[in-house]
């Protein structure tokens, strides 16, 4: 079933929607998704109405799924899928205009969501649950060190990120937005039980400010929230 699902996902073209029935779909090898849509014909990959869809990467040396490593990916929606296992969870490469919504990521060997290989923009990461990470253990690792890769003009909202503080976790931030990333909104997330700060935001290097508002952060092994600068921080608990 896992191989069949991967084939179905890879062959999607602009305007198509893949509706996945209930089941556990397991793969054990490298998976790079490169299907792409357009602004008027996005691609949808989602659980069918009422279905419980679990996608498992059984190979701890591979990420659950890479997106856009071999070629650019634009205008794709992922919705309602449980992703588990693997090394990192979902690693986005050359991607923009992505909506990752109402998914669950857990049981990963490293960070759950990463965008640290290419510049990314216009992401919507919304209403997801992320927990039980390992390794560096970040719930979301957005952008890269020293501004070498940035995320811009994106929305990270209404997510529940928790329990990134397991015995094997060496960092374990809840949501980390790296240096140089700009114009992003981090809002109404609930982030707790993290080894490093629940929310960690660096400066924008003079680009438009980030906004961090109406988040609930508690139970950190470090600062509940740590913000370097060039950011509006308001109405958080």
């Amino acid at each position: 079933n896992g191989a069949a699902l991967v084939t179905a996902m890879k062959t999607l073209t602009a305007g198509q929607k893949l509706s996945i029935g209930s089941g556990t779909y397991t793969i054990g090898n490298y998976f790079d998704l490169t299907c792409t849509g357009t602004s008027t014909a996005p691609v949808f990959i989602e659980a069918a109405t009422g279905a419980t869809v679990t996608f498992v990467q059984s190979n701890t040396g591979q990420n659950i799924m890479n997106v856009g490593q071999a070629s650019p990916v634009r205008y794709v929606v992922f919705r309602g899928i449980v992703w588990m296992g693997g090394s990192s969870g979902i690693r986005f490469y050359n991607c923009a205009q992505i909506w990752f919504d109402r998914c669950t990521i857990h049981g990963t060997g490293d960070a759950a969501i990463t965008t640290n290989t290419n510049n990314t923009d216009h992401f919507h990461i919304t209403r997801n649950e992320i927990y039980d990470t390992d390794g560096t253990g970040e719930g979301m690792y957005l952008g890269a060190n020293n501004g070498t890769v940035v995320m811009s003009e994106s929305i990270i909202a209404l997510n529940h990120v928790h329990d990134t503080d397991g015995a094997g976790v060496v960092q374990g931030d809840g949501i980390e937005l790296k240096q140089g990333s700009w114009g992003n909104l981090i809002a109404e997330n609930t982030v707790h039980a993290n080894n490093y700060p629940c929310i960690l935001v660096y400066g924008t290097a003079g680009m438009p400010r980030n906004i961090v508002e109406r988040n609930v952060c508690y139970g950190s092994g470090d600062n509940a929230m740590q913000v370097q600068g060039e950011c509006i921080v308001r109405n958080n608990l």
Side-chain angles (χ1 to χ4, degrees), residues 73-76 78 92 95-100 122-124:
V73 171
R74 303 289 185 267
Y75 296 101
V76 178
F78 303 91
F92 293 98
C95 297
Q97 298 288 357
I98 301 294
W99 190 9
F100 193 83
H122 295 93
F123 269 58
H124 290 72

Side-chain angles (χ1 to χ4, degrees), residues 201 210-214 225 227 231-236:
V201 178
N210 297 303
I211 298 175
V212 178
E213 63 180 350
R214 300 191 304 275
M225 185 180 293
V227 179
C231 185
I232 297 171
V233 183
R234 60 192 176 202
N235 300 322
N236 298 282

Side-chain angles (χ1 to χ4, degrees), residues 201-220:
V201 178
Y202 295 75
T204 69
M207 296 297 287
R209 290 175 291 184
N210 297 303
I211 298 175
V212 178
E213 63 180 350
R214 300 191 304 275
N215 300 282
V216 176
C217 302
Y218 65 94
S220 169

Side-chain angles (χ1 to χ4, degrees), residues 74-232:
R74 303 289 185 267
Y75 296 101
V76 178
V77 178
F78 303 91
R79 181 176 292 145
I81 300 170
V82 178
W83 310 85
M84 62 181 295
S87 178
S88 292
I90 313 300
R91 172 157 285 177
F92 293 98
Y93 286 79
N94 188 347
C95 297
Q97 298 288 357
I98 301 294
W99 190 9
F100 193 83
D101 180 53
R102 287 185 283 189
C103 292
T104 299
I105 305 177
H106 70 97
T108 59
D110 214 288
I113 293 177
T114 59
T115 65
N116 61 343
T117 56
N118 295 71
N119 291 338
T120 53
D121 63 87
H122 295 93
F123 269 58
H124 290 72
I125 303 174
T126 58
R127 300 181 289 186
N128 303 289
E129 182 177 12
I130 295 171
Y131 66 96
D132 187 24
T133 56
D134 207 343
T136 59
E138 297 90 346
M140 301 184 200
Y141 189 91
L142 310 174
N145 289 328
N146 305 313
T148 54
V149 165
V150 303
M151 171 177 272
S152 62
E153 299 179 289
S154 296
I155 294 173
I156 299 94
L158 299 166
N159 301 286
H160 184 196
V161 183
H162 61 98
D163 293 288
T164 64
D165 60 352
V169 173
V170 296
Q171 295 184 34
D173 311 81
I175 300 172
E176 181 174 6
L177 184 65
K178 300 299 288 186
Q179 177 69 36
S181 295
W182 58 272
N184 302 291
L185 172 65
I186 301 175
E188 299 190 18
N189 301 283
T190 299
V191 191
H192 62 96
N194 314 108
N195 193 41
Y196 271 24
C198 300
I199 295 178
L200 174 59
V201 178
Y202 295 75
T204 69
M207 296 297 287
R209 290 175 291 184
N210 297 303
I211 298 175
V212 178
E213 63 180 350
R214 300 191 304 275
N215 300 282
V216 176
C217 302
Y218 65 94
S220 169
D222 199 279
N223 298 312
M225 185 180 293
Q226 182 174 325
V227 179
Q228 177 179 316
E230 297 171 301
C231 185
I232 297 171

